[in-house]
Amino acid sequence: MTKTLTKHLENIAASGKGIFVPYIMAGDHEKALDGLFDTITFLENSGASAIEVGIPWSDPVADGPVIELAGQRSLANGVNLTAIVQKLQEKQTTVPLVIMTYINPVYQYGIEKFIADLKNTSVKGLIIPDLPHEHENMVKPYLTDTDIALVPLVSLTTGIERQKTLCKDAEGFIYAVAINGVTGKTGNYRDDLDKHLTNLKAIADIPVLTGFGVSTPADIERFNKVSDGVIVGTKIVRDLHEGKTDDVADFVKYGSNYQK
């Protein structure tokens, strides 16, 4: 059975619009975790295709400085994975949520319990960047009878055969990492990036979204030509923290209304 996240994003792509997924850090708000649904509703109303919800962690491996600081602010607010899951159980959202976390906090929580506790929430996707494909069996069996997709990441250094392996039977979407390194770097895209994304899209049977370093309308235009849309983290997190809500709303609207 095709999962909700996959169908939802495929429908957007089929409509001829770009997919736009903003990233937020749970708990990085003046009201701490009590502000989570305020931010989600704001992004929903701005037109977000789905929303990636980051889990604060003391030792992130994929987060650039802006998102790492957001995680530190969230941790300082007393936010943890248990509290976030409990908050997500309180309310349904109109767009799918995608959790971005690391395997350590999930393991500490209890993998089976973590999945079970998310089963009746609006969480429809799960991104765990430090969980290698070879160890997906730590998590995937618990997802079989749920509507939650485990989203694979494909980097620039991933060879063609490995890409095929990662895309085979993948669910949700393919997270195409546009740069080597952590989130937030801009202007450092490789010359062969567009070709890489075009080839990846040809391999994948589900939407391919480009993330890491996406921060301008020009980036949105570029990546919608060679993939199905974008994921934007650092710009969204920074602008929200600085109170630039109008800028965030305009950027989300631009990305979600982008006509292919």
Side-chain angles (χ1 to χ4, degrees):
M1 182 180 71
T2 304
K3 298 197 175 184
T4 293
L5 181 61
T6 309
K7 289 188 289 187
H8 176 73
L9 298 180
E10 285 179 339
N11 287 340
I12 294 173
S15 75
K17 288 186 176 182
I19 296 168
F20 189 98
V21 179
Y23 168 100
I24 59 174
M25 176 63 71
D28 182 30
H29 191 280
E30 60 184 6
K31 296 193 294 185
L33 205 49
D34 287 337
L36 178 60
F37 282 110
D38 292 349
T39 305
I40 288 173
T41 300
F42 166 70
L43 294 171
E44 286 177 332
N45 292 339
S46 298
S49 307
I51 299 169
E52 188 179 343
V53 180
I55 307 299
W57 177 239
S58 58
D59 191 25
V61 297
D63 298 340
V66 170
I67 293 178
E68 188 171 352
L69 282 172
Q72 290 173 7
R73 290 192 296 267
S74 180
L75 291 171
N77 285 332
V79 174
N80 57 36
L81 182 56
T82 298
I84 293 168
V85 171
Q86 290 173 349
K87 179 61 66 174
L88 292 171
Q89 290 172 333
E90 293 178 8
K91 183 179 177 181
Q92 295 291 316
T93 63
T94 59
V95 299
L97 303 181
V98 181
I99 292 287
M100 203 299 278
T101 185
Y102 295 97
I103 190 60
N104 195 302
V106 175
Y107 185 79
Q108 302 259 349
Y109 189 104
I111 296 171
E112 185 174 7
K113 176 174 169 53
F114 176 67
I115 301 301
D117 288 350
L118 291 175
K119 201 169 183 179
N120 295 317
T121 71
S122 294
V123 174
K124 302 300 179 185
L126 186 60
I127 300 170
I128 309 178
D130 61 343
L131 179 67
H133 176 73
E134 286 74 16
H135 298 295
E136 280 185 355
N137 60 351
M138 291 177 62
V139 175
K140 217 160 187 183
Y142 302 116
L143 297 173
T144 302
D145 296 323
T146 75
D147 196 25
I148 302 172
L150 184 61
V151 174
L153 288 89
V154 176
S155 74
L156 284 170
T157 57
T158 305
I160 293 294
E161 293 306 313
R162 177 73 169 177
Q163 290 179 34
K164 291 178 181 178
T165 298
L166 293 174
C167 290
K168 186 177 183 296
D169 301 323
E171 298 172 324
F173 61 90
I174 306 297
Y175 194 135
V177 179
I179 58 173
N180 292 323
V182 296
T183 60
K185 290 184 178 180
T186 58
N188 294 314
Y189 294 125
R190 273 178 25 177
D191 292 340
D192 61 346
L193 174 58
D194 289 11
K195 182 180 179 182
H196 165 79
L197 293 170
T198 300
N199 291 340
L200 179 59
K201 186 163 166 45
I203 292 170
D205 293 326
I206 58 176
V208 174
L209 303 185
T210 305
F212 282 49
V214 180
S215 61
T216 67
D219 291 335
I220 291 173
E221 294 167 15
R222 173 182 180 174
F223 294 130
N224 268 287
K225 292 176 182 175
V226 288
S227 67
D228 295 291
V230 296
I231 301 166
V232 182
T234 294
K235 176 178 170 56
I236 299 291
V237 169
R238 180 193 290 118
D239 285 356
L240 286 174
H241 180 62
E242 294 177 354
K244 299 177 181 177
T245 52
D246 288 346
D247 290 350
V248 172
D250 289 344
F251 199 60
V252 176
K253 287 173 184 175
Y254 182 83
S256 59
N257 289 315
Y258 184 82
Q259 295 289 329
K260 295 278 195 173

